[in-house]
Amino acid sequence: MDMRGTQILFFLVWFLGIYAPTLFCATVEYDHRALVIDGKRRVLISGSIHYPRSTPEMWPDLIQKSKDGGLDVIETYVFWNLHEPVKGQYNFEGNNDLVKFVKTVAEAGLYVHLRIGPYACAEWNYGGFPLWLHFIPGIQFRTDNEPFKAEMQRFTAKIVDLMKQENLYASQGGPIILSQIENEYGNIDVHYGAAGKSYIKWAASMATSLDTGVPWVMCQQADAPDPVINTCNGFYCDQFTPNSDKKPKMWTENWSGWFLSFGDAVPYRPVEDLAFSVARFYQRGGTFQNYYMYHGGTNFGRTSGGPFVATSYDYDAPIDEYGSIRQPKWGHLKDLHKAIKLCEKALISTDPNITSPGPNLEVAVYRTESVCAAFLANVGTGSDATVKFEGNSYNLPAWSVSILPDCKNVVLNTAKISSASMLSSFTTESLKKDIGSLEASTSRWSWISEPVGISKADAFSKVGLHEQINTTGDRSDYLWYSISIDLKDEASAQTVLHIESLGHALHAFINGKLAGSHAGNGKKFKLNVDIPITTVTGRNTIDLLSLTVGLQNYGEFFDTWGAGITGPVILKGLKSGQNLDLSFEKWTYQIGLKGEELGPSSGSSGQWNPQSTLPKNQSLTWYKTNFDAPSGTNPVAIDFTGMGKGEAWVNGKSIGRYWPAYFSSNSGCTGSCNYRGAYSSSKCLKNCGKPSQSLYHVPRSWLKRSGNILVLFEEKGGDPTQISFATKQIGSLCAHVSQSHPPSIDLWNSDTKSVSEAAPALSLKCPEHNQVISSIKFASYGTPLGTCGNFYHGNCSSNNAMSIVQKACIGTSSCSVEVSTDTFGEPCQGVQKSLAVEVMCT
């Protein structure tokens, strides 16, 4: 190529790079079957990733793992209180860089569903609303109220305009193919009456008037006005029907697990059930499904809602809180997505013909002259079943769906997992070189005592007890209520302080000493407590520290629910036998802590005490230390075992509230969870009788190699020298595949004959690119039992399984072994056999 040709080519590359978004615009419409992109119906699989619950440095990897897992779309809320914390002052920097997040999705070749809301719910503080909204005169949230509608329209238009300026809508050549207005309003609209109905009509009209060029949706809104699509949220949506025969069947939230609350055990959802729900949805006519969440992430700072939602928002998602693939959930769903996409041509061509060949059995067939796909379902929870379909018999385990992309061969059954499992653990790393915790050197810590009671110049006095959120404006979790009383001859060792509070927790101090602490939980926020106290003759000071643990984010009129000590507050058991009601006396109030005013969270305050006598198990104490980053690149967490409750900052950035002293109940957990039958958030629990959360994510991008600063504010009292850093390590890699499993789904890239004749295979692949399989910890062909990390031989076992697997796998990054007697010989006649393998990668 000559110089002129090179210059022309360079110009074309430059021109396309600058103007491609406006040259390759897409039309996005819909009909009764599916979203229609550029005139073609699409079967789409989506997953939620909330940009502020991870970091910009994590986004590319999270999105690529989503794409590798078979997703077409990334779905996210937009969080109003992050972007406009003060009215008219916007923040789109760092974790809040919505434009960068959307562009990162586009760079991976995926679409975006932008859920503007602007009400989010999402277990996010105040449902995503900024607190200043609450103080606008005459405002009522989420109803036909002019002040609210004006603010909602202004912010929605702000986000739409921001996306348009960056050419991010599909109509401009960008990735955004859907937008959402409002959120799950249909769950509560009955409480708003006629004003709620007119509000929804207004919201739909306002959104569509913004001319995005892509469809709008409303989830859980059966009366969503045309042309807005009403969609489903829930654990199962196969029975959902849109409100018009002109709209497609869409599922905006398939809950992949559940959120964790402080004081609760950890919920999880078996992948067999999750896959069953997805297959059932596409079986019965669905064409767009979204996992909520595909990556949950972390509630950094004070962003968690609830109240009592934990700092971890892991959600048992296919990609865990730290950005690691969760197996076998991610892998099994990846196989499911491949199976569904093999049926896409049939799914978009016609409506399903659904029949029931027997009790709890359902067959859905998508057939045209040129294509045929079938879904066979056993919705029973007890026993397996056999279905005869088009001359063939198919075994269906209970609570499962088999997918037949050619109406003949099973490509996948939702209850049969072929993908690998991984065992992971957190390994203690040193905060300092050669020190696994700080117990060895208390001199490395410095500290500041937070004053008990009133210590700030902006304290104020009012008669009576006042609600906390209206008082603090959520500028802090903390509000001091302080009063001094003269008991004279009334002092008694039998005195009880009775306190009633709207929540969420409180610490009571009498004459500067902690008398008692109490907290609600995610199911019961309010407090009604009696605290035994010791008073003295004469002047007594009562200091009550009330605190919030994330503001309410869901429910009708949730913005009015309130928090804090609203009374009564009564001294009972005085020497005279009388009670003293303090509720209507003059109280002094202080918003927040003295330490928050001084800014010690960055570690820059000059008031740190470096003395070697470090106070331990002392309430209201700030701690600071320096540390080196744990070695390597693995995800990092802080183990707060030994501490009570508080908040932590790394290099000035809040990693969230910590509360390892709040244990879950001893009951409710089982060794394993039966995936058969309808799932609920309390069905499958683990970690009973332990702290709800001990490990707290520290993003690698927040750390320097050395000279990092950790600052804690401890409310209840703890021992900071017990804190340790941990890194997440992958241990064993396992798989367990039986003769009844379908052949590898990847064979469907070849001809159908090879699929029908192929045997199932057990496949393993090391999680990191530079790893190889270094050892085989277990291998058994026959009737092996147990789970990953605890496999053991059954009554039947091939003698050469270990040597065959070693030969196939040792020294390779991935391997595949056919599960058949052709490979291993016949260890036992007349028994269905399986292969179980556990390996290590290094």
Side-chain angles (χ1 to χ4, degrees):
M1 182 181 293
D2 60 19
M3 181 63 69
R4 179 174 174 79
T6 303
Q7 290 174 336
I8 292 173
L9 179 61
F10 176 80
F11 173 78
L12 285 172
V13 171
W14 171 83
F15 181 82
L16 290 172
I18 298 297
Y19 295 103
T22 60
L23 290 177
F24 301 105
C25 302
T27 59
V28 185
E29 301 166 314
Y30 63 83
D31 62 18
H32 81 288
R33 282 297 298 129
L35 288 179
V36 180
I37 302 176
D38 282 339
K40 182 181 179 181
R41 288 175 177 169
R42 294 292 305 275
V43 169
L44 296 171
I45 299 166
S46 174
S48 291
I49 299 175
H50 296 159
Y51 52 99
R53 282 176 159 143
S54 52
T55 65
E57 292 79 8
M58 294 173 67
W59 294 342
D61 184 61
L62 294 173
I63 293 163
Q64 185 60 49
K65 286 174 178 172
S66 302
K67 183 178 182 179
D68 293 343
L71 298 195
D72 306 293
V73 184
I74 300 297
E75 184 176 286
T76 186
Y77 281 118
V78 177
F79 299 91
W80 190 354
N81 53 9
L82 276 190
H83 295 304
E84 195 178 8
V86 177
K87 185 175 181 180
Q89 298 180 20
Y90 297 99
N91 179 358
F92 291 95
E93 304 295 324
N95 289 25
N96 303 344
D97 194 340
L98 175 60
V99 167
K100 182 175 182 178
F101 179 77
V102 173
K103 287 183 175 180
T104 304
V105 176
E107 289 166 4
L110 300 181
Y111 295 121
V112 171
H113 178 196
L114 194 66
R115 306 177 78 185
I116 299 176
Y119 165 68
C121 182
E123 292 71 59
W124 190 268
N125 193 54
Y126 214 46
F129 286 142
L131 251 294
W132 55 259
L133 201 65
H134 175 74
F135 297 100
I136 292 176
I139 200 166
Q140 289 181 293
F141 287 10
R142 305 178 73 198
T143 189
D144 195 355
N145 171 266
E146 293 305 321
F148 178 76
K149 291 192 299 183
E151 293 300 327
M152 175 175 167
Q153 181 169 358
R154 181 183 59 80
F155 181 75
T156 303
K158 169 75 176 179
I159 297 301
V160 168
D161 289 344
L162 182 63
M163 298 299 104
K164 285 183 176 181
Q165 290 166 13
E166 299 290 336
N167 294 318
L168 293 177
Y169 282 103
S171 55
Q172 303 171 292
I176 302 173
I177 59 169
L178 285 170
S179 289
Q180 179 177 302
I181 195 71
E182 249 300 332
N183 187 56
E184 295 185 330
Y185 191 69
N187 293 351
I188 59 167
D189 60 4
V190 64
H191 299 280
Y192 295 83
K197 299 293 184 183
S198 57
Y199 163 66
I200 281 299
K201 291 179 180 178
W202 167 86
S205 176
M206 180 271 290
T208 54
S209 73
L210 296 174
D211 192 26
T212 62
V214 302
W216 287 84
V217 305
M218 284 183 172
C219 62
Q220 295 295 90
Q221 195 66 47
D223 60 350
D226 294 342
V228 175
I229 306 168
N230 66 304
T231 66
C232 183
N233 291 356
F235 291 118
Y236 308 94
C237 281
D238 50 281
Q239 302 299 318
F240 168 75
T241 302
N243 64 13
S244 166
D245 59 9
K246 296 180 174 62
K247 297 176 183 179
K249 181 172 178 173
M250 299 176 63
W251 192 357
T252 36
E253 290 188 16
N254 182 355
W255 302 324
S256 58
W258 201 243
F259 61 88
L260 173 66
S261 293
F262 286 122
D264 287 354
V266 177
Y268 65 97
R269 186 179 185 185
V271 68
E272 297 96 329
D273 175 66
L274 181 57
F276 171 79
S277 73
V278 175
R280 287 284 289 156
F281 180 72
Y282 287 99
Q283 175 182 14
R284 296 186 61 85
T287 51
F288 180 103
Q289 186 265 168
N290 176 77
Y291 297 101
Y292 186 101
M293 303 292 295
Y294 199 74
H295 165 72
T298 306
N299 291 315
F300 298 115
R302 299 172 58 244
T303 58
S304 63
F308 293 96
V309 170
T311 299
S312 171
Y313 200 67
D314 180 84
Y315 222 91
D316 196 39
I319 303 174
D320 72 14
E321 177 181 4
Y322 299 88
S324 302
I325 288 171
R326 171 174 277 117
Q327 293 285 37
K329 183 169 275 191
W330 182 90
H332 190 46
L333 295 178
K334 177 181 180 178
D335 289 345
L336 173 65
H337 303 155
K338 287 181 178 179
I340 291 168
K341 287 305 182 79
L342 286 170
C343 304
E344 181 170 16
K345 189 174 181 181
L347 290 174
I348 63 175
S349 297
T350 185
D351 295 322
N353 178 29
I354 300 175
T355 58
S356 177
N360 296 320
L361 300 178
E362 189 172 281
V363 174
V365 181
Y366 293 83
R367 189 193 307 271
T368 69
E369 291 182 358
S370 59
V371 292
C372 184
F375 293 74
L376 315 181
N378 179 357
V379 299
T381 61
S383 58
D384 296 357
T386 298
V387 174
K388 287 190 175 181
F389 174 67
E390 301 207 343
N392 295 310
S393 293
Y394 299 89
N395 178 262
L396 290 177
W399 204 255
S400 77
V401 178
S402 284
I403 301 175
L404 291 65
D406 59 358
C407 284
K408 183 178 180 181
N409 293 289
V410 175
V411 65
L412 179 137
N413 178 274
T414 57
K416 296 181 178 181
I417 301 173
S418 296
S419 64
S421 299
M422 284 193 297
L423 295 180
S424 62
S425 61
F426 280 87
T427 302
T428 299
E429 293 279 333
S430 55
L431 247 65
K432 294 279 185 177
K433 291 179 180 178
D434 304 321
I435 302 175
S437 74
L438 288 190
E439 188 173 15
S441 180
T442 59
S443 63
R444 299 185 186 278
W445 288 94
S446 52
W447 54 278
I448 300 173
S449 289
E450 175 69 27
V452 173
I454 307 304
S455 59
K456 294 170 59 179
D458 59 359
F460 56 92
S461 297
K462 283 186 175 182
V463 172
L465 296 164
H466 294 271
E467 191 275 330
Q468 183 164 347
I469 300 171
N470 280 299
T471 304
T472 66
D474 198 39
R475 297 194 299 275
S476 171
D477 280 358
Y478 304 101
L479 178 64
W480 282 105
Y481 297 71
S482 183
I483 190 171
S484 291
I485 54 173
D486 193 344
L487 291 180
K488 295 184 179 178
D489 298 327
E490 293 287 349
S492 168
Q494 306 301 316
T495 305
V496 170
L497 180 62
H498 176 80
I499 306 172
E500 295 185 25
S501 167
L502 297 178
H504 307 138
L506 64 84
H507 306 293
F509 295 83
I510 306 299
N511 298 322
K513 294 182 179 180
L514 181 64
S517 298
H518 291 269
N521 56 54
K523 299 176 183 65
K524 184 180 179 183
F525 316 147
K526 295 182 180 181
L527 301 173
N528 188 326
V529 299
D530 290 302
I531 302 174
I533 63 172
T534 300
T535 56
V536 298
T537 300
R539 206 77 179 157
N540 289 265
T541 300
I542 300 173
D543 295 301
L544 306 178
L545 182 59
S546 176
L547 52 131
T548 53
V549 191
L551 302 190
Q552 184 69 29
N553 59 259
Y554 179 78
E556 66 276 5
F557 310 107
F558 74 85
D559 54 300
T560 66
W561 288 18
I565 301 167
T566 52
V569 174
I570 302 172
L571 277 177
K572 297 180 177 180
L574 296 175
K575 189 174 290 187
S576 63
Q578 300 295 311
N579 295 336
L580 178 60
D581 191 340
L582 304 175
S583 307
F584 303 101
E585 301 297 321
K586 180 180 282 190
W587 290 77
T588 302
Y589 294 85
Q590 176 181 299
I591 298 170
L593 307 171
K594 182 71 171 178
E596 290 177 309
E597 184 180 70
L598 297 174
S601 61
S602 66
S604 59
S605 169
Q607 300 187 19
W608 292 100
N609 186 340
Q611 293 179 3
S612 59
T613 306
L614 181 72
K616 298 179 183 180
N617 301 311
Q618 176 176 296
S619 60
L620 305 185
T621 305
W622 296 82
Y623 296 102
K624 182 181 78 166
T625 192
N626 296 330
F627 67 94
D628 295 340
S631 57
T633 59
N634 289 358
V636 178
I638 298 180
D639 186 340
F640 277 98
T641 299
M643 300 302 288
K645 179 186 180 299
E647 188 173 354
W649 295 260
V650 171
N651 295 329
K653 295 181 179 181
S654 174
I655 64 170
R657 300 181 182 95
Y658 66 84
W659 202 348
Y662 208 160
F663 281 56
S664 63
S665 168
N666 285 314
S667 62
C669 294
T670 57
S672 62
C673 182
N674 185 356
Y675 68 86
R676 301 169 184 86
Y679 179 79
S680 69
S681 60
S682 60
K683 180 180 179 181
C684 304
L685 301 174
K686 58 185 178 181
N687 219 43
C688 286
K690 298 178 181 179
S692 298
Q693 184 178 354
S694 296
L695 297 168
Y696 295 78
H697 180 209
V698 182
R700 275 280 182 184
S701 60
W702 290 9
L703 297 174
K704 303 175 289 185
R705 289 188 63 182
S706 61
N708 298 283
I709 299 174
L710 172 65
V711 173
L712 320 173
F713 173 65
E714 173 57 46
E715 294 173 18
K716 299 181 66 174
D719 182 357
T721 67
Q722 298 302 307
I723 291 173
S724 60
F725 273 62
T727 55
K728 188 173 186 181
Q729 310 287 341
I730 302 298
S732 295
L733 188 66
C734 304
H736 191 179
V737 176
S738 74
Q739 290 176 314
S740 69
H741 277 59
S744 170
I745 194 170
D746 294 327
L747 292 177
W748 280 81
N749 295 325
S750 58
D751 62 274
T752 303
K753 182 179 179 181
S754 66
V755 174
S756 62
E757 296 176 352
L762 182 148
S763 298
L764 296 168
K765 182 179 181 180
C766 291
E768 301 297 334
H769 296 299
N770 59 346
Q771 290 182 320
V772 296
I773 297 171
S774 56
S775 65
I776 312 297
K777 298 184 70 175
F778 181 90
S780 177
Y781 177 75
T783 56
L785 300 169
T787 57
C788 187
N790 294 289
F791 286 136
Y792 58 97
H793 295 281
N795 293 328
C796 163
S797 183
S798 170
N799 292 327
N800 58 0
M802 177 63 78
S803 61
I804 290 172
V805 173
Q806 285 176 333
K807 183 177 179 180
C809 298
I810 292 291
T812 66
S813 60
S814 63
C815 63
S816 182
V817 182
E818 185 177 283
V819 182
S820 70
T821 53
D822 289 343
T823 304
F824 295 96
E826 179 59 83
C828 44
Q829 295 281 352
V831 176
Q832 180 176 282
K833 290 166 279 293
S834 63
L835 174 63
V837 176
E838 178 181 355
V839 307
M840 291 292 294
C841 292
T842 55

